[in-house]
Amino acid sequence: MTDILVINGPNLNLLGLRQPEVYGRTTLAEVEAMCVETGKDLGATVTCLQSNHEGVLIDAIHASRGTRDGIVLNAGAFTHTSIALMDAIASAEVPVVELHLSNIHARETFRHKSWIAPVAVGQICGFGPAGYALALRALIGHLETRT
Ligand code: DQA
């Protein structure tokens, strides 16, 4: 069975409480449950991880090398700062779909830059929590074209 890791980065543990006008009222637990259900519908096992720590995210990406089929990654603000995350993705050789709840391109200019985008299969942003299901579908579709 296809094995996918959904990674949420810093501050996303506060989803539902944090700036609801930007990120909505859906909690991280609800997002993760929806990811697992979407995975079941698509014949994939989905495991979810959230951390506020860059190194934990890097370790999880490294651990996915050869063990997971793909990753959906919302790196939060590390998206705009972390060359280390970009290098981890490039080194892990695991397909990554970049995901953001908000449309980062319609927000402050510092959010327009993504260090993840150059090493991702693609990017989904601006669709709120529904974006996670879109990202999973996109990733699984991508994996199917490779088999
Ligand atoms: C985010 C967008 C980032 O710019 C921000 O720092 C986040 C959340 C999103 O999901 O829209 O923490 O990744």
Side-chain angles (χ1 to χ4, degrees), residues 105-116:
H105 304 288
R107 299 182 63 194
E108 303 96 322
T109 48
F110 65 83
R111 294 184 203 276
H112 298 179
K113 170 70 184 173
S114 167
W115 290 102
I116 309 300

Side-chain angles (χ1 to χ4, degrees), residues 42 97 121 124 133-143:
L42 299 173
V97 172
V121 177
I124 292 173
L134 295 173
L136 284 165
R137 282 182 193 281
L139 178 56
I140 290 165
H142 171 78
L143 293 171

Side-chain angles (χ1 to χ4, degrees), residues 100-104 124-128:
H100 303 282
L101 294 138
S102 63
N103 180 357
I104 55 173
I124 292 173
C125 68
F127 296 99

Side-chain angles (χ1 to χ4, degrees), residues 73 75 78-80 82 85-86 89 96-100 113-121:
L73 174 63
F78 290 146
T79 303
H80 319 298
S82 181
L85 267 182
M86 178 179 75
I89 294 165
V96 171
V97 172
E98 178 183 357
L99 181 278
H100 303 282
K113 170 70 184 173
S114 167
W115 290 102
I116 309 300
V119 289
V121 177

